[in-house]
Amino acid sequence: MSSSSFDLYYTNAQIDRRSTDRPRTELITETLYSEQARFVVLSDNQNLFELKDDLHHPAFLERKDVEAYIPHHPWAYLGVYDNHALFVLDLSVLEDQALIEGFENKYLFEDLRRAAPVHQRTEASQLAYARGLMYWHKRHRFCGACGSETESQQAGHVRKCLNPECGLEHFPRTDPAVIMLVTHGDKCLLGRHSRLKAGMYSTLAGFVEPGETLEDAVRREVMEEAGIKVGKVTYAASQPWPFPTSLMLGFYGEAETTEISFADDELEDAQWFTRDELINIADQGKSLASHDSIARQLIENWIKAG
């Protein structure tokens, strides 16, 4: 199955990132305070939404709405969308009461995955981009080489160490993770982690280790988690997953063995499922991974291909 057959969430931000503009401090400052600027607002990794007709709609505020906050809170330039310069503004240091007073009752902060991805895919992708970038800023306030403080530069896409004897530049981090649907004939392998809600089964996944190819990471993770030997590995698609900082690299793997064993404590359970069992999985008191995940897309595309 080609990547073109996937319709993934958080992958279609449609932003012109304008990376060459980031070092142009005067231009960015002028744009930041311009009428064309729009702002994605965050607080404690939650995005700001506007309530309309009992639905959460991603809020894109104008400069006048947030101008008082800009000089005192972290921000970053995301790029241009629909002829507007898009920024993210992080108000996490404010107390809840200050946030309530700063915005009208029609706005609220909510976790992105619970609020918006199904209804506004492009906007949800933009909010995910903003969330991932500011999460990185929060966790890189100090230099990993010398321990000195860092400051945001290049419109929020670099943090530079303030120690003149170090001066190391740090760039936003993304952790590559493989996620794979392992198949054997007309069955596929799904597992259950303790962190999943009761009865939920999903594809196996894991982080890529240093010096490891993606294909070898697939084979290693499946062997470690379920004791299954995987042969052929085929790339499917990728999905940004800033929850908090991952890039999910999706694969299909062909199993060479079928006996499940648990070499580590990653999984509570793992089972082989036929397509019919997956289609009627609710009848078994089970459920599949959430609709916004690449895991669900890997499963559903395999079902359709049968």
Side-chain angles (χ1 to χ4, degrees), residues 33-98:
Y33 288 96
S34 70
E35 295 295 330
Q36 71 161 159
R38 295 293 182 270
F39 293 84
V40 173
V41 181
L42 288 167
S43 177
D44 292 329
N45 297 317
Q46 293 186 322
N47 293 92
L48 185 68
F49 292 90
E50 184 176 5
L51 284 177
K52 291 181 181 179
D53 302 322
D54 295 326
L55 293 175
H56 293 73
H57 296 266
F60 295 90
L61 302 187
E62 298 180 16
R63 183 209 62 199
K64 62 182 177 61
D65 300 318
V66 298
E67 190 166 7
Y69 297 108
I70 294 173
H72 312 292
H73 299 275
W75 59 268
Y77 176 58
L78 302 178
V80 174
Y81 171 71
D82 195 25
N83 296 318
H84 290 289
L86 197 58
F87 292 84
V88 53
L89 180 66
D90 192 343
L91 304 182
S92 296
V93 299
L94 291 180
E95 298 292 336
D96 289 344
Q97 187 61 38

Side-chain angles (χ1 to χ4, degrees), residues 172-185:
R173 172 181 170 180
T174 296
D175 299 319
V178 291
I179 184 164
M180 45 279 177
L181 184 66
V182 176
T183 64
H184 187 269

Side-chain angles (χ1 to χ4, degrees), residues 3 6-12 113 117 121 125 128 174-179 235-243 245-251 290-298:
S3 59
F6 284 75
D7 183 19
L8 296 167
Y9 297 95
Y10 314 119
T11 60
N12 191 30
R113 293 195 67 199
R121 291 201 181 192
S125 299
T174 296
D175 299 319
V178 291
I179 184 164
Y235 173 75
S238 64
Q239 180 185 37
W241 196 252
F243 306 105
T245 58
S246 298
L247 174 65
M248 307 304 293
L249 301 155
F251 294 88
S290 61
H291 286 279
D292 66 336
S293 67
I294 189 173
R296 185 61 172 262
Q297 285 282 304
L298 288 168

Side-chain angles (χ1 to χ4, degrees), residues 52 58 105 113 133 142 207 209 248 257 269 277 293-294:
K52 291 181 181 179
N105 292 334
R113 293 195 67 199
L133 184 58
F142 298 93
F207 288 104
E209 295 188 350
M248 307 304 293
T257 61
D269 186 35
E277 287 172 335
S293 67
I294 189 173

Side-chain angles (χ1 to χ4, degrees), residues 190-194 204 225-226 262 264-270:
L190 299 180
R192 204 198 121 60
H193 289 264
S194 59
L204 306 191
E225 292 190 2
F262 303 109
D264 57 24
D265 297 324
E266 283 286 318
L267 297 180
E268 283 188 346
D269 186 35

Side-chain angles (χ1 to χ4, degrees), residues 38-224:
R38 295 293 182 270
F39 293 84
V40 173
V41 181
L42 288 167
S43 177
D44 292 329
N45 297 317
Q46 293 186 322
N47 293 92
L48 185 68
F49 292 90
E50 184 176 5
L51 284 177
K52 291 181 181 179
D53 302 322
D54 295 326
L55 293 175
H56 293 73
H57 296 266
F60 295 90
L61 302 187
E62 298 180 16
R63 183 209 62 199
K64 62 182 177 61
D65 300 318
V66 298
E67 190 166 7
Y69 297 108
I70 294 173
H72 312 292
H73 299 275
W75 59 268
Y77 176 58
L78 302 178
V80 174
Y81 171 71
D82 195 25
N83 296 318
H84 290 289
L86 197 58
F87 292 84
V88 53
L89 180 66
D90 192 343
L91 304 182
S92 296
V93 299
L94 291 180
E95 298 292 336
D96 289 344
Q97 187 61 38
L99 289 172
I100 292 171
E101 293 174 355
F103 298 107
E104 300 176 31
N105 292 334
K106 64 179 180 178
Y107 294 109
L108 80 162
F109 288 94
E110 181 59 273
D111 182 82
L112 174 60
R113 293 195 67 199
R114 286 200 295 266
V118 173
H119 301 294
Q120 303 94 15
R121 291 201 181 192
T122 296
E123 291 85 352
S125 299
Q126 295 167 1
L127 267 59
Y129 169 23
R131 185 185 189 277
L133 184 58
M134 299 317 286
Y135 182 93
W136 170 76
H137 275 284
K138 286 183 180 179
R139 281 150 182 79
H140 287 80
R141 295 186 298 114
F142 298 93
C143 178
C146 73
S148 300
E149 286 191 50
T150 63
E151 70 172 7
S152 176
Q153 295 189 356
Q154 296 198 26
H157 291 264
V158 174
R159 293 196 70 88
K160 186 171 183 178
C161 177
L162 295 177
N163 178 358
E165 296 182 0
C166 177
L168 186 65
E169 292 185 333
H170 302 268
F171 297 87
R173 172 181 170 180
T174 296
D175 299 319
V178 291
I179 184 164
M180 45 279 177
L181 184 66
V182 176
T183 64
H184 187 269
D186 63 349
K187 294 184 178 182
C188 72
L189 178 69
L190 299 180
R192 204 198 121 60
H193 289 264
S194 59
R195 63 178 177 269
L196 298 177
K197 69 179 183 181
M200 178 178 285
Y201 282 75
S202 186
T203 57
L204 306 191
F207 288 104
V208 181
E209 295 188 350
E212 186 175 47
T213 67
L214 300 176
E215 293 82 0
D216 283 345
V218 169
R219 297 183 181 102
R220 174 184 54 77
E221 284 289 344
V222 176
M223 177 59 71
E224 289 176 356

